[in-house]
Amino acid sequence: MAQNISISFYGKAGLRLMGDLESLEQFVEDNRFLEGIRPELQNKYPNRWVAVYKKEVVGDAKSISKIIKMLKSKGVPVSQSVLVFLRKKPIPMIL
């Protein structure tokens, strides 16, 4: 029997496993949504953490601990949210 999982960014730990197939599908949809509007978000929230849940930006903060605290206070499931730090200027990568 296959085990269903969802993946979420969570604090310094990076990835956290939890949930079911629907949660994983929602996470994938939220991540696609975020990537589709990333340039707009980088302009609106430079050098801030942003949280997306159910294709909606549900919060932003200067630190990951503050955004997690904010999500919990709003009743948004942290383990099912996409959290990303939006740098004002992208870091150049050499491949």
Side-chain angles (χ1 to χ4, degrees), residues 3-89:
Q3 182 178 4
N4 298 320
I5 61 169
S6 68
I7 303 169
S8 177
F9 292 99
Y10 188 72
K12 295 178 184 176
L15 296 176
R16 180 178 177 185
L17 302 176
M18 181 175 176
D20 58 8
L21 185 56
E22 286 180 22
S23 296
L24 177 58
E25 290 170 349
Q26 184 65 54
F27 177 83
V28 170
E29 288 179 25
D30 288 344
N31 196 50
R32 285 185 183 144
F33 169 79
L34 186 145
E35 290 304 320
I37 62 169
R38 182 182 281 269
E40 176 186 332
L41 294 178
Q42 284 176 310
N43 289 329
K44 190 172 182 178
Y45 305 105
N47 297 320
R48 294 183 69 82
W49 284 92
V50 171
V52 172
Y53 179 65
K54 294 190 175 181
K55 296 183 186 176
E56 182 180 337
V57 176
V58 292
D60 69 283
K62 285 187 175 188
S63 71
I64 194 158
S65 59
K66 287 182 181 178
I67 199 162
I68 289 171
K69 185 177 180 180
M70 176 192 304
L71 294 174
K72 288 179 178 179
S73 73
K74 290 182 173 185
V76 176
V78 177
S79 65
Q80 295 175 18
S81 301
V82 177
L83 305 177
V84 64
F85 185 78
L86 298 171
R87 295 190 182 279
K88 187 172 186 173
K89 293 183 180 181

